[in-house]
Amino acid sequence: MRMEIPTRRDRHQDGTHLWRSWALSGGLIVLLNLVAPAWSGSQAWAQATDKMELGLPTEGQITNVGPNSIEVESRLYRLHQKLSITREGGQPLAVQDLQVGHGVQFWLNEGAVAKIIVRNPR
């Protein structure tokens, strides 16, 4: 049986290799810490703009109701496919329940009315 005893040079090379591995790992961690906030920041910005569109409600009185649109204060808005309509108390309503003269608050999403809260007629 033959056994090799590592020389001083072999031990030095193993130490250098270990040092390079640790340096590479540390460099990658630092790089990820610098890049990750930029990625998550852009994602947060995209989410913020989507929520911002639902921000402040528009108010007015219904002047016309169609199957795919609603007219408020003589301005036509298309209805979002995931439209939510409720009374002030929270009871759900259908598009057919909307009537000319109802006061409404509504929010836009993707350029269409996504949420309507029906108030008493004005």
Side-chain angles (χ1 to χ4, degrees):
M1 183 156 68
R2 186 172 167 191
M3 199 186 310
E4 291 186 20
I5 301 173
T7 63
R8 178 177 243 195
R9 183 171 181 237
D10 292 337
R11 283 189 212 136
H12 178 69
Q13 285 178 344
D14 288 342
T16 303
H17 179 69
L18 183 63
W19 166 248
R20 287 181 184 160
S21 297
W22 279 102
L24 182 61
S25 301
L28 287 173
I29 289 171
V30 169
L31 181 64
L32 285 175
N33 284 332
L34 293 174
V35 173
W39 284 338
S40 65
S42 63
Q43 183 179 7
W45 182 81
Q47 291 171 351
T49 56
D50 189 37
K51 290 180 183 175
M52 193 180 306
E53 193 169 331
L54 287 174
L56 298 173
T58 304
E59 294 186 29
Q61 191 170 359
I62 296 176
T63 53
N64 193 8
V65 179
N68 298 322
S69 62
I70 186 173
E71 191 176 287
V72 179
E73 303 291 335
S74 300
R75 186 164 179 187
L76 188 65
Y77 298 93
R78 117 183 124 81
L79 300 177
H80 195 276
Q81 61 186 4
K82 295 181 181 178
L83 175 64
S84 165
I85 306 172
T86 59
R87 292 188 191 272
E88 279 185 297
Q91 302 88 356
L93 291 173
V95 176
Q96 297 82 8
D97 297 330
L98 297 175
Q99 297 176 4
V100 174
H102 278 160
V104 293
Q105 279 187 324
F106 61 96
W107 289 261
L108 298 176
N109 185 8
E110 299 172 0
V113 177
K115 181 177 179 181
I116 298 174
I117 297 178
V118 178
R119 310 177 109 183
N120 295 329
R122 293 185 181 179

